[in-house]
Amino acid sequence: ALAASEDGGQTWVRNIPTARSRVSTDGLTADRFGRLRGNLSIGFLDKPWIAVGPSPDDPATDVLYVTYTEFDTNYTVLWLGEVPTIVPVATRTTIRMVRSEDGGRSWSTPVAVSPTVNQSYGEPGGDTPGVFGTSRTVQGSQPVVAPDGSVYVAWTDSTDDDSFKGSGEIYVARSTDKGVTFATPVNASTFNEIAYRPRN
């Protein structure tokens, strides 16, 4: 959500959603005993970041940009006797962007900035078209607007050796049309990922 103040932060009169996660139960059906079986998908939007800059069409007009990581986890419904259990199968992550050209009152449809990558649990898999990887996550996006109105977004890619292990990569993608489309991401850096600890 985006909150806006028009009096220097004294009051906040608007609280508007810029993007929404979703829950999909399209893959669920009832068996002959009336128990739900199949797959469901639960979304989660993480690490939102905002940038403001001039429109490439009119430098006197500002455009607001919000980037975030969309986590989409697929679950399989299993039954242990009379108890339903959901088991995670895979999590897909994508860096997405939304923009506003009216001061945050309305927001565009989300656009994918990064490729969608896959973190599989259990047996490796990756049969979904347009999704690749079996142990990969993208996250931590940072948008920046250049003086000419071009938008740059940087993010971290864990590569296929899992998060907080082995090597990671930083990618940057550029848009010259207010985030409607993005050029192919460029690898800006490769680095050794540090192990995660709660106190880091």
Side-chain angles (χ1 to χ4, degrees), residues 1-4 12 14-19 50 64 66 100 103-105 107:
L2 177 86
W12 297 83
R14 294 200 317 270
N15 193 342
I16 298 170
T18 64
I50 192 168
L64 299 170
V66 172
S100 175
R105 292 172 183 83
W107 292 85

Side-chain angles (χ1 to χ4, degrees), residues 11-147:
T11 59
W12 297 83
V13 295
R14 294 200 317 270
N15 193 342
I16 298 170
T18 64
R20 295 176 185 271
S21 61
R22 63 182 180 80
V23 175
S24 173
T25 57
D26 294 343
L28 293 178
T29 57
D31 66 13
R32 62 190 179 108
F33 302 108
R35 294 174 171 175
L36 288 177
R37 295 186 182 274
N39 300 310
L40 72 148
S41 174
I42 300 175
F44 172 67
L45 310 184
D46 193 28
K47 300 178 180 69
W49 207 262
I50 192 168
V52 183
S55 167
D57 303 329
D58 178 11
T61 303
D62 279 338
V63 181
L64 299 170
Y65 300 95
V66 172
T67 62
Y68 56 91
T69 305
E70 179 184 62
F71 286 81
D72 185 22
T73 303
N74 294 324
Y75 296 87
T76 295
V77 178
L78 301 175
W79 287 81
L80 304 175
E82 298 296 317
V83 180
T85 305
I86 60 171
V87 178
V89 176
T91 298
R92 294 178 178 89
T93 53
T94 312
I95 302 298
R96 298 199 184 273
M97 170 181 276
V98 290
R99 75 179 182 284
S100 175
E101 299 182 60
D102 59 6
R105 292 172 183 83
S106 63
W107 292 85
S108 66
T109 301
V111 172
V113 179
S114 76
T116 298
V117 300
N118 195 53
Q119 173 84 38
S120 297
Y121 309 109
E123 292 185 20
D127 299 332
T128 306
V131 179
F132 60 92
T134 58
S135 191
R136 195 168 189 166
T137 304
V138 293
Q139 59 180 319
S141 60
Q142 298 280 306
V144 176
V145 185

